[in-house]
């Protein structure tokens, strides 16, 4: 590979030293990857999910690797009382929280008519209501204590702004999170807060992808063909971007959603993009036909 290896860390080792960061859904998949890098850069991290045993194992693993602290706390983000208790414990342990990274999510791939009202509600409650619960809890505390230089980073998706069939509850919820991000970026900037979002493309994680796509379907569903760069994302690439957006190096970035998807959503957006499936020989024939018409 020529140049810098994009699978390696980007920021300097002390970039997040002294910061305390809450990462919801921080015990697995992309949440764990981001947590690992945030700790490597010196941040103390609070990881939350409903599975405390899994969180404890991850915390032990990461603390044995890095010198910073990892606090595992069980929390169902749908329940405001649990969110408030989690936040209080984080403050009690570390004295302050500087960054909230809303990563907890859930999804179904299904025709919408097959979804029950409860199934739809589950996604809305975890993704949108959960993000709202965490954001209001942490944000109001920052306002009341006059703590500045704080930020919230929300993980959304590219279909938050395009919409998408077959993941309608997730698209609906993520669109709400994106609107929340942009709205509070304006309203709460006066309190020293920044709000940004990341819209990742395909970053396969074993657990999530195994649940969403059964193996026989996965084999027919080559994600790399949907991405102009012809590859899926490396976890470190997303972790690098997240770490930058919550660091002081991005102090002038506010209200932004950064897409990191290799061009995937744009490939699906253009009306003529399917023409890439035309083989070279056919293009030669088309070009020859067009030139003959011009001469005619």
């Amino acid at each position: 590979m020529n140049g810098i290896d994009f699978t390696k860390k980007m920021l300097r080792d002390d970039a997040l030293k002294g910061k305390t960061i809450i990462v919801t859904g921080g015990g697995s998949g992309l949440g764990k990857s981001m947590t690992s890098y945030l700790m490597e850069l010196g941040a103390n991290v609070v990881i939350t999910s409903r599975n405390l045993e899994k969180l404890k194992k991850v915390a032990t693993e990461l603390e044995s690797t890095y010198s910073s602290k990892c606090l595992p706390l069980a929390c169902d983000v749908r329940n405001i009382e649990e969110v408030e208790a989690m936040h209080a414990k984080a403050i009690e342990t570390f004295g302050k929280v500087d960054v909230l990274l809303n990563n907890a999510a859930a999804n179904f791939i299904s025709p919408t008519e097959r979804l029950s009202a409860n199934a739809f509600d589950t996604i809305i409650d975890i993704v949108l209501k959960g993000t709202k619960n965490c954001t209001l809890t942490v944000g109001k505390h920052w306002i009341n204590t006059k703590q500045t230089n704080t930020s919230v980073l929300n993980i959304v998706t590219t279909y938050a702004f395009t919409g998408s069939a077959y993941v309608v509850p997730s698209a609906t919820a993520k669109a709400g999170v994106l609107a929340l991000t942009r709205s509070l970026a304006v309203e709460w900037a006066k309190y020293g807060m920044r709000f940004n979002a990341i819209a990742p493309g395909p970053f396969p994680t074993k657990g999530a992808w195994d649940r969403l796509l059964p193996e026989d379907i996965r084999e027919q569903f080559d994600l790399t063909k949907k991405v102009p760069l012809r590859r899926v994302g490396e976890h470190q690439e997303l972790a690098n971007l997240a770490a930058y957006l919550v660091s002081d190096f991005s102090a002038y970035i506010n209200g932004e959603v950064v897409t990191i998807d290799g061009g995937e959503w744009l490939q699906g957006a253009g009306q003529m993009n399917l023409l890439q499936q035309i083989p070279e020989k056919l293009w030669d024939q088309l070009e020859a036909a067009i030139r003959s018409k011009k001469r005619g």
Side-chain angles (χ1 to χ4, degrees):
M1 182 184 294
N2 295 323
I4 294 173
D5 185 351
F6 58 79
T7 66
K8 297 295 191 291
K9 62 182 182 179
M10 179 176 77
L11 295 180
R12 66 193 196 200
D13 290 341
D14 64 347
L16 296 175
K17 191 171 183 180
K19 287 190 183 292
T20 298
I21 301 172
I22 294 174
V23 181
T24 65
S28 61
L30 291 172
K32 181 182 176 183
S33 297
M34 290 187 287
T35 296
S36 178
Y37 188 46
L38 298 174
M39 290 179 64
E40 186 176 355
L41 296 176
N44 293 320
V45 181
V46 179
I47 55 173
T48 81
S49 74
R50 286 171 288 173
N51 188 336
L52 184 58
E53 288 309 307
K54 179 193 278 188
L55 291 174
K56 286 179 176 177
K57 288 179 182 176
V58 170
T60 300
E61 173 194 335
L62 295 180
E63 285 192 338
S64 69
T65 306
Y66 308 115
S67 59
S68 46
K69 298 294 183 185
C70 183
L71 176 65
L73 294 176
C75 177
D76 185 339
V77 295
R78 296 173 292 184
N79 186 318
I80 186 65
E81 288 81 14
E82 289 189 35
V83 171
E84 290 172 343
M86 175 271 294
H87 177 249
K89 188 65 177 177
I91 297 294
E92 177 188 327
T93 304
F94 296 115
K96 65 182 177 62
V97 170
D98 303 281
V99 175
L100 169 64
L101 203 170
N102 284 307
N103 171 68
N107 200 358
F108 297 119
I109 292 181
S110 172
T112 307
E113 68 271 18
R114 291 172 176 252
L115 293 173
S116 68
N118 284 339
F120 207 113
D121 285 349
T122 296
I123 307 303
I124 297 287
D125 286 351
I126 293 172
V127 176
L128 181 54
K129 184 178 176 182
T131 298
K132 177 270 296 181
N133 283 343
C134 294
T135 301
L136 289 185
T137 297
V138 177
K140 286 181 179 181
H141 178 80
W142 287 336
I143 293 169
N144 292 337
T145 60
K146 295 183 168 53
Q147 183 180 342
T148 57
N149 191 25
T150 57
S151 71
V152 175
L153 179 62
N154 295 323
I155 305 300
V156 294
T157 69
T158 52
Y159 57 69
F161 36 90
T162 64
S164 178
Y166 303 105
V167 284
V168 172
S170 176
T172 303
K174 292 288 192 180
V177 172
L178 185 55
L180 181 73
T181 305
R182 288 170 166 159
S183 301
L184 289 178
V186 175
E187 185 177 344
W188 282 359
K190 64 190 175 189
Y191 298 119
M193 293 182 221
R194 294 187 299 116
F195 285 80
N196 292 297
I198 296 175
F203 283 83
T205 59
K206 180 161 178 48
W209 287 93
D210 285 356
R211 286 192 302 273
L212 287 173
L213 295 171
E215 188 173 354
D216 53 340
I217 296 178
R218 268 202 314 280
E219 290 173 357
Q220 302 171 40
F221 196 70
D222 185 353
L223 290 168
T224 62
K225 291 179 180 176
K226 297 174 61 202
V227 180
L229 290 181
R230 290 297 178 262
R231 68 174 178 87
V232 294
E234 293 282 345
H235 281 216
Q236 186 62 45
E237 294 179 277
L238 181 65
N240 281 337
L241 178 58
Y244 168 68
L245 288 174
V246 302
S247 77
D248 294 340
F249 292 111
S250 64
Y252 202 50
I253 299 178
N254 185 37
E256 188 55 64
V257 53
V258 181
T259 300
I260 178 168
D261 73 344
E264 180 200 29
W265 88 269
L266 290 170
Q267 175 169 298
Q271 288 182 318
M272 298 297 177
N273 288 337
L274 288 175
L275 293 176
Q276 67 184 350
Q277 297 175 13
I278 295 177
E280 286 294 322
K281 286 184 179 179
L282 186 53
W283 278 119
D284 293 340
Q285 295 172 22
L286 288 171
E287 189 175 331
I290 291 169
R291 286 184 176 180
S292 66
K293 284 182 179 179
K294 282 184 178 178
R295 284 197 296 270

